[in-house]
Amino acid sequence: MGETHPHVWAADAIRRIQEDGRYGPPEAPASAGPREALTPLRRLSAAEGFEGVEGVDIYLKDESALPTGSLKYRLVRAMFGEALTGGRIGEGTPVFAATGGAVAAAGARFAKLLGLPFTAVVPAKTPARLLERIEAAGGQWQVGERPPAAVQQEARELADRCGGHLLDHFADAERAVAGWGEPTIADEIFHQLRGEPHPVPEWIVTGAGTGATSATIGRHLRYHGRPSRLAVVDPENSAYFPAWASGCDDYATGMPSRIPGIGRPRTEPGFLPSVIDLVIPVPDAASIAAMRRLHSAGIDAGPATGTALWGVCHLVARMREAGKRGSVVLVLGDASEPYRDTYCSAEWVRARGLDPAPYEADLERFARTGTW
Ligand SMILES: *Cc1c(COP(=O)(O)O)cnc(C)c1O
């Protein structure tokens, strides 16, 4: 057998990525929607204890059904595609990530799929649960020697020394998703809403980490001329709400977000304020209260989805006040598994000085009566 030409290897690698997860998880219910979507769109039905919000259908785009359990899988999938067509990942290229989070789990999965070595350089104190997730996806990890803020630079140097490729989701994810040829999360949402009572949602609601997901949805609305509006929910300490509200696009708070996956200490290049109609600041304790509300409705979601639900309640209440019927879609970015010992533990939450109780009462009233 002759050696594989690098272009042929890249094309084959891209096909393999496109095949991955194509038919969704085997346990997806028949109601999960057409098989051409990677993840199901589920309706928060009256049976789940939201009978008060009659007249407005709330849907969850369940990204926890992606093969590595987080919407970061979509971003990393596109980033691999982009690096393959751009000649930055080839046969044998070692791949790195500078996080122990969901990007590392997805990076490990795609690297394994392509037979490439993968290493996550992780901050000290990365929870064991996350490290196990990287291993389970076929990757390795090592603890960074520098302080957490410098782990990114450390990973970059490591990658440079061995001719490797660093997955830099804050720098690259938004453009990679925009240029990737596959249907986006927004394409899937509109496809899955066809045939529903209100197939064009009034609002689509998501959090922003890299900004790629909100940018993808915002671009879709313009490309296809859809009248839906886009809301971003933003946790405490994040730069996104002040940046959006002030029009200052290099705003920095310098403070880390406490809601995993969303909110940033500074505006990232993938955050596109011009496509966002509304940014809703959400208290961290309210995010946790809303996550608990989802759990008691039988919906497995992480804290960032709680943040999104809080924003959705606000918007649905406004629709109802205006006598409007319609639908609202929120992005469920991941499930609760990675947070079982932290955000899902009442003791852990209390030890951080967070008190969800007053917000839980607000949510309960909203779920029962639809008023806010
Ligand atoms: C990353 C993340 C988001 C936000 O997605 P971006 O495209 O990075 O803005 C939302 N929810 C969860 C759980 C995430 O991990």
Side-chain angles (χ1 to χ4, degrees):
M1 273 211 358
E3 242 175 62
T4 309
H5 189 281
H7 299 178
V8 174
W9 188 87
D12 177 59
I14 288 163
R15 296 298 96 76
R16 269 185 281 167
I17 285 175
Q18 288 172 333
E19 293 294 312
D20 191 53
R22 203 68 213 122
Y23 301 104
E27 69 274 19
S31 62
R35 283 306 194 192
E36 57 263 45
L38 288 177
T39 63
L41 185 75
R42 302 163 58 187
R43 211 184 112 193
L44 248 191
S45 67
E48 287 165 321
F50 282 84
E51 53 280 319
V53 294
E54 210 255 311
V56 180
D57 297 330
I58 302 173
Y59 295 86
L60 299 145
K61 178 62 172 165
D62 186 0
E63 297 289 273
S64 76
L66 289 164
T68 53
S70 158
L71 66 70
K72 292 295 186 304
Y73 170 92
R74 269 188 211 273
L75 310 189
V76 173
R77 184 178 171 107
M79 286 166 68
F80 264 81
E82 213 272 325
L84 284 161
T85 55
R88 284 175 288 119
I89 292 179
E91 191 169 3
T93 304
V95 180
F96 293 84
T99 166
V103 165
R109 179 178 176 100
F110 287 116
K112 180 164 184 232
L113 195 67
L114 306 185
L116 307 174
F118 177 86
T119 309
V121 184
V122 307
K125 288 192 189 164
T126 300
R129 205 175 271 283
L130 298 188
L131 300 175
E132 285 160 17
R133 191 168 64 168
I134 298 168
E135 288 170 11
Q140 293 184 315
W141 52 269
Q142 65 188 58
V143 176
E145 287 164 13
R146 302 187 204 162
V151 162
Q152 168 88 8
Q153 186 55 30
E154 188 174 340
R156 186 168 295 286
E157 288 169 17
L158 207 62
D160 287 349
R161 268 205 303 278
C162 64
H165 178 71
L166 175 67
L167 295 171
D168 184 348
H169 50 297
F170 290 111
D172 297 339
E174 194 276 313
R175 272 180 310 110
V177 175
W180 181 231
E182 287 192 315
T184 65
I185 183 172
D187 292 316
E188 291 187 11
I189 289 169
F190 280 95
H191 186 81
Q192 289 170 308
L193 280 171
R194 285 185 324 184
E196 294 295 309
H198 304 285
V200 178
E202 203 71 25
W203 289 96
I204 301 178
V205 182
T206 180
T210 68
T213 302
S214 49
T216 302
I217 295 166
R219 286 183 193 278
H220 176 105
L221 298 179
R222 282 159 188 76
Y223 189 89
H224 294 279
R226 311 228 197 243
S228 306
R229 283 175 290 174
L230 171 62
V232 162
V233 287
D234 205 37
E236 289 173 31
N237 297 333
S238 173
Y240 290 143
F241 173 69
W244 177 82
S246 68
C248 163
D249 54 14
D250 59 355
Y251 201 96
T253 63
M255 300 268 287
S257 157
R258 286 195 289 195
I259 304 299
I262 63 169
R264 292 292 295 164
R266 61 176 184 124
T267 53
E268 299 293 349
F271 178 72
L272 299 191
S274 50
V275 301
I276 299 165
D277 296 289
L278 182 66
V279 180
I280 305 173
V282 178
D284 292 344
S287 295
I288 292 167
M291 176 186 75
R292 289 182 181 171
R293 190 70 191 69
L294 287 167
H295 294 175
S296 64
I299 294 157
D300 187 11
T305 308
T307 316
L309 178 66
W310 187 264
V312 163
C313 293
H314 174 82
L315 295 169
V316 169
R318 285 208 330 203
M319 286 172 68
R320 287 173 52 87
E321 273 163 34
K324 247 190 203 159
R325 294 178 159 263
S327 61
V328 174
V329 177
L330 75 130
V331 175
L332 191 164
D334 64 8
S336 63
E337 167 63 23
Y339 315 108
R340 206 180 282 165
D341 312 325
T342 53
Y343 296 84
C344 299
S345 147
E347 203 177 311
W348 186 93
V349 167
R350 208 175 315 111
R352 266 142 200 88
L354 294 166
D355 180 15
Y359 301 106
E360 287 178 311
D362 290 344
L363 285 160
E364 200 44 52
R365 180 168 25 83
F366 174 75
R368 264 186 301 108
T369 66
T371 56
W372 194 229

